[in-house]
Amino acid sequence: MAEVVIVESADAAGDIAASLIEKLVTRRADAVLGVATGSTPLSTYRALAAKRLDLRRVRAFALDEYVGLEPGHPESYHAVIDREMTVPLGLDPSLVRVPGDGLTRRADAAALDRAGEEYERAIAAAGGIDLQILGIGATGHIGFNEPGSSLASRTRVKTLMRQTRLDNARFFASIDDVPRHCITQGLGTILEARQLVLLAFGEHKAEAVAAALEGPVSASAPGSVVQLHPRVTAIVDEAAASRLRFAAYYRDAWENALR
Ligand code: F6R
């Protein structure tokens, strides 16, 4: 079962997640991180930056990228990862990868397929991902694996749900500017990471969190695939935890954990 930690704020969650990363990179200076974009991981990156660790040898693989933005677009996940993570944490940009990197705006389906396969090979060549940071979308997606994604899926192109495009429209001038497609690590790819840290904040995530952690394992709730992983820490705020049936048990287990 996942270890579920219910905290009072995104900052408190960021502190815990950053400590897990610190533990890893202290043990292994060239650790391989799987990194998410969006709002959720920002408190983790801030808390990690405050630790002033030497992360120059850390390697990182982003979960996903939009398809169809101009290279260098400020909301491309390449640009976001660079701005929010690579620069503030002092990572070596040459060790940070984003799926589909280097593709042009008009890349065709075959080129995107090749990019997905190449990304899988790059992750394998790095020895796999040690710790994967995950957010979760209101649709239940992790990475951009929307409902219906195969639980065994690998890095590939997906079509974003309208709800996801609406949710992400806050980063663009309007929903029409949010790409319809993305390239994302698959659920099977995510499951191969050695440790998963799932973060979620806010009432609008409560249903997706409950489905992921306590619902049946199903492609209809892609986040539920984490139940198949032996080492998951889910760190959620009170609002995101509000639909969890076993919340009292999770609190009790965390407060009385054998450490
Ligand atoms: C981003 C990603 C997505 C987000 C999710 C939540 O790389 O893979 O799964 O984690 O859409 O987004 P926020 O954090 O903006 O609510």
Side-chain angles (χ1 to χ4, degrees):
M1 191 195 103
E3 177 169 49
V4 182
V5 189
I6 302 171
V7 293
E8 63 187 15
S9 66
D11 282 342
D15 288 343
I16 296 173
S19 296
L20 293 174
I21 297 170
E22 179 178 26
K23 204 188 265 180
L24 169 68
V25 299
T26 306
R27 205 176 69 230
R28 222 185 124 191
D30 65 346
V32 182
L33 291 182
V35 293
T37 42
S39 305
T40 306
L42 296 180
S43 61
T44 299
Y45 300 149
R46 273 197 307 272
L48 195 55
K51 290 181 183 288
R52 303 201 169 280
L53 303 171
D54 180 355
L55 301 175
R56 278 174 301 179
R57 292 179 58 209
V58 166
R59 294 162 291 165
F61 288 89
L63 274 170
D64 38 25
E65 176 60 291
Y66 291 119
V67 168
L69 294 180
E70 298 291 350
H73 188 292
E75 293 309 326
S76 72
Y77 281 172
H78 188 132
V80 173
I81 288 280
D82 206 47
R83 199 164 61 229
E84 307 289 3
M85 208 201 72
T86 309
V87 172
L89 296 181
L91 300 192
D92 174 350
S94 72
L95 301 180
V96 180
R97 296 282 314 265
V98 178
D101 243 359
L103 288 178
T104 65
R105 187 173 191 276
R106 303 203 178 281
D108 60 18
L112 290 162
D113 281 349
R114 282 196 299 276
E117 286 162 17
E118 199 275 321
Y119 203 62
E120 292 283 335
R121 282 195 296 274
I123 293 173
I129 290 171
D130 291 308
L131 184 152
Q132 175 67 59
I133 298 164
L134 296 168
I136 186 164
T139 65
H141 65 238
I142 55 173
F144 271 144
N145 295 281
E146 298 284 26
S149 293
S150 160
L151 302 184
S153 49
R154 315 300 311 189
T155 305
R156 73 219 181 288
V157 170
K158 283 296 286 182
T159 303
L160 293 170
M161 288 183 95
R162 181 170 167 78
Q163 181 63 52
T164 299
R165 294 178 62 232
L166 266 175
D167 290 343
N168 288 3
R170 68 189 192 280
F171 298 114
F172 294 83
S174 80
I175 183 174
D176 298 327
D177 295 324
V178 184
R180 284 181 184 278
H181 298 102
C182 63
I183 177 164
T184 179
Q185 285 188 34
L187 296 172
T189 319
I190 291 169
L191 274 186
E192 281 175 9
R194 286 181 273 279
Q195 181 177 7
L196 303 181
V197 178
L198 173 69
L199 300 153
F201 313 124
E203 169 66 32
H204 61 301
K205 299 290 178 76
E207 198 177 320
V209 165
L213 300 179
E214 296 181 340
V217 175
S218 161
S220 300
S224 66
V225 78
V226 304
Q227 293 177 44
L228 298 174
H229 195 286
R231 195 164 175 218
V232 183
T233 307
I235 314 173
V236 299
D237 69 2
E238 301 279 350
S242 59
R243 305 279 277 268
L244 288 174
R245 192 171 151 210
F246 300 113
Y249 170 57
Y250 305 140
R251 280 186 234 276
D252 184 47
W254 176 250
E255 280 160 22
N256 297 296
L258 299 171
R259 293 200 169 86

